[in-house]
Amino acid sequence: MSGVVPTAPEQPSGEMENQIKSPDPRPDAPPEYNSHFVPGPPGPAVPPPVGYPGGLPMGYYSPQQPSTFPLGQPTGATHPIQYQPGKYPVPNQPVPITWMPGPPPVPNCPLGLEYLAQLDNIHVLQHFEPMEMITRFETNNRYDIQNNSDQMVYIVTEDTGDFTRNAYRTLRPFVLRVTDCMGREIMTMQRPFRCTCCCFCCPSARQELEVQCPPGVTLGFVAEHWNLCRAVYSIQNEKKENVMRVRGPCSTYGCGSDSVFEVKSLDGVSNIGSIVRKWNGLLSAMADADHFDIHFPLDLDVKMKAMIFGACFLIDFMYFERSPPQRSR
């Protein structure tokens, strides 16, 4: 029996594994974690985005599905916000332009003037062009038209040739194009060139602005009247019949205060509205970036509102337009 090697008695498999497993070398090893997670019922199915009937390709993110990306969830808008692949909003990016909601159609109202029918106050904000101060090159003026909620109503852009702008400066003839949120040109304002070397009381030397709405159809005129100590204008209809008057302050170059141009009836008794050039400190004194507030009654004829709106730009070019300083020869 010497060839038989004695064997140890068999042990249960659990005890055998405990003997084989080496002790954990880490002194403070955490105990094994047993998950007690119980999956809940499946949520509602999310429809795939438009353009991907079978779902998004690999690596694409859909803002309609929950994710850890710091992208705000869609609001209750009709069309959810969508982002390009790899393009995510940056916290410091400029705020997009907010336009005034489109108003319903108004009877007997030219197309595009429905916005003015709902307003009694608008702000005219001229863009500041720092390159004009550096290069001394006159550029086309641009204006933002906003309501009291800082919503964009119109955009006004000057359309004048480079030679005309820099040769005639503040006396230049110009064309201003007014566009709405759809990019449609709903109004045009034109000032012809008037020679100022003649006698200042001569009618041919007085400034005039024609307002067209829609473009090509005359809505009215803003005509300058000679006055010894203050700015005076007449607002006329398409037949050049006087409808209202604009009466400015004795000193239009007010430093440190607002310049108020009153809109009155023809007899001068009733006060209809006003065009106020706001004083913006050193920016008003040194730069060509004006700010106007226009006030008129809410129930005023929308065509007359447009004419008061047009008078603001003739006043700006005549009294507050500053050309870049010229180099001394």
Side-chain angles (χ1 to χ4, degrees):
M1 301 297 291
S2 60
V4 178
V5 179
T7 59
E10 295 182 359
Q11 299 181 0
S13 60
E15 297 179 3
M16 182 68 68
E17 293 178 357
N18 292 338
Q19 294 178 1
I20 296 174
K21 184 183 297 183
S22 60
D24 196 331
R26 295 175 295 178
D28 298 325
E32 295 183 359
Y33 173 73
N34 296 326
S35 175
H36 299 282
F37 170 73
V38 178
V46 180
V50 179
Y52 297 97
L56 287 172
M58 184 67 66
Y60 280 57
Y61 166 71
S62 171
Q64 295 177 337
Q65 299 176 355
S67 173
T68 58
F69 286 99
L71 300 172
Q73 296 298 324
T75 58
T78 306
H79 302 286
I81 301 174
Q82 306 241 352
Y83 301 97
Q84 270 189 330
K87 301 290 184 180
Y88 302 105
V90 181
N92 296 328
Q93 72 180 15
V95 179
I97 297 176
T98 302
W99 286 87
M100 179 179 173
V106 179
N108 301 323
C109 177
L111 181 64
L113 296 187
E114 300 90 352
Y115 295 92
L116 295 181
Q118 297 185 346
L119 300 173
D120 60 355
N121 182 21
I122 55 177
H123 304 274
V124 180
L125 306 175
Q126 183 178 0
H127 288 210
F128 173 57
E129 301 290 349
M131 292 304 296
E132 287 188 356
M133 307 297 295
I134 299 174
T135 63
R136 299 180 173 88
F137 183 83
E138 182 77 29
T139 60
N140 281 320
N141 288 355
R142 295 181 298 166
Y143 305 84
D144 291 341
I145 314 303
Q146 299 179 355
N147 59 14
N148 285 334
S149 301
D150 294 334
Q151 295 175 329
M152 194 77 72
V153 182
Y154 300 121
I155 292 179
V156 181
T157 307
E158 181 186 359
D159 185 7
T160 308
D162 293 341
F163 174 79
T164 302
R165 282 197 317 273
N166 290 274
Y168 296 96
R169 298 289 172 171
T170 59
L171 297 176
R172 64 185 182 266
F174 62 78
V175 176
L176 297 178
R177 305 190 185 278
V178 184
T179 55
D180 60 4
C181 62
M182 304 295 293
R184 300 173 301 182
E185 183 178 348
I186 55 100
M187 188 188 307
T188 302
M189 292 175 277
Q190 299 181 358
R191 179 178 80 163
F193 175 74
R194 294 294 174 87
C195 181
T196 58
C197 61
C198 303
C199 177
F200 52 83
C201 60
C202 179
S204 61
R206 300 174 190 171
Q207 298 296 321
E208 184 181 79
L209 178 77
E210 180 184 0
V211 179
Q212 300 177 357
C213 183
V217 179
T218 301
L219 190 66
F221 298 87
V222 181
E224 178 192 17
H225 285 265
W226 180 82
N227 190 280
L228 184 60
C229 61
R230 67 175 70 242
V232 178
Y233 300 90
S234 287
I235 294 180
Q236 305 171 342
N237 58 16
E238 67 277 6
K239 299 178 182 179
K240 289 198 171 185
E241 298 171 345
N242 294 338
V243 180
M244 295 179 290
R245 287 189 179 274
V246 179
R247 186 171 179 266
C250 291
S251 176
T252 56
Y253 302 96
C255 181
S257 61
D258 299 342
S259 300
V260 181
F261 294 78
E262 299 175 341
V263 181
K264 293 181 171 292
S265 59
L266 291 179
D267 55 10
V269 177
S270 301
N271 189 10
I272 299 175
S274 62
I275 302 172
V276 182
R277 190 256 189 174
K278 307 294 289 185
W279 173 257
N280 293 327
L282 291 178
L283 189 62
S284 297
M286 301 179 61
D288 188 15
D290 296 315
H291 175 193
F292 290 88
D293 281 355
I294 304 177
H295 304 267
F296 35 62
L298 183 62
D299 58 350
L300 183 66
D301 183 11
V302 68
K303 296 181 180 179
M304 293 299 100
K305 290 183 179 181
M307 293 305 305
I308 298 175
F309 174 59
C312 173
F313 295 96
L314 183 59
I315 293 172
D316 180 35
F317 272 84
M318 289 187 61
Y319 296 105
F320 305 109
E321 176 74 6
R322 289 177 173 83
S323 296
Q326 300 298 302
R327 291 186 176 91
S328 58
R329 299 183 183 275

